Amino acid sequence: MKSDIKTRKDLEFLLTEFYKIVPFDAEIGHHFDDVDLTAHLPIIVDFWEKVLFGKPVYFNNPLEIHQKLHEKSPLKFEHFNRWVEIFNATIDNFFTGEMAQNAKFRAETIARSLNNRIN
C-alpha cells in the first residue's frame, strides 16, 4: 500500500527513482548529460525538503542553475512539461496523499515559473 511523502528518506527514495528515468528520456535526457547524480541528489533532496517541509536546508538559486543549463541547451516549454510529467508519474507510482499532491502542485508551479523566467 502506498503512503504519503512524510520524511527526507521518502524524498530520497522518490528522487532516486525519478533520476533512474529522467536522464534516459528521449525528450529531456540530454539536459542531464553533465549532471553528477551522486553530487546532485543530496542537493535536490534539500531543495524538496525545503519546498515541502519548510526546512531551511537549501540555499542555492534554482533560477540561476537553470539559466546556466539553458545556455548549454535551450530549456523549452515542452521540456518543463515533460519533466513535470515524469516527476508526477514517479510520485503516483510510489506515493499517495496530501503531501504527494502538494509535491505535484509545487512541481508544476516551479516548472511554470522557471519556464516563464527563462523564456
Side-chain angles (χ1 to χ4, degrees):
M1 184 172 166
K2 297 179 195 175
S3 64
D4 206 352
I5 299 169
K6 297 175 188 164
T7 65
R8 181 179 178 91
K9 196 164 203 62
D10 292 338
L11 292 173
E12 289 169 351
F13 175 81
L14 168 66
L15 292 160
T16 298
E17 293 301 314
F18 173 76
Y19 283 107
K20 287 179 182 176
I21 301 165
V22 77
F24 306 101
D25 184 76
E27 190 172 345
I28 63 172
H30 66 280
H31 290 292
F32 298 87
D33 287 347
D34 296 331
V35 176
D36 175 356
L37 291 177
T38 303
H40 181 64
L41 194 60
I43 295 167
I44 200 66
V45 171
D46 284 349
F47 173 80
W48 282 101
E49 190 172 22
K50 181 177 183 179
V51 168
L52 294 179
F53 303 140
K55 297 218 173 148
V57 292
Y58 179 83
F59 304 100
N60 295 330
N61 181 344
L63 177 60
E64 182 181 310
I65 293 163
H66 287 84
Q67 285 171 325
K68 288 178 184 175
L69 288 172
H70 182 68
E71 289 170 10
K72 287 183 181 180
S73 179
L75 292 167
K76 300 176 183 174
F77 174 76
E78 55 268 22
H79 296 152
F80 287 104
N81 282 343
R82 182 66 180 144
W83 181 92
V84 168
E85 229 175 68
I86 296 167
F87 190 78
N88 287 353
T90 306
I91 291 171
D92 288 341
N93 282 338
F94 299 103
F95 296 97
T96 188
E98 187 176 332
M99 192 61 73
Q101 288 303 114
N102 186 28
K104 292 191 301 185
F105 172 77
R106 295 293 189 104
E108 291 171 16
T109 303
I110 290 163
R112 195 169 38 250
S113 174
L114 286 171
N115 177 64
N116 287 342
R117 295 173 84 184
I118 288 173
N119 293 309

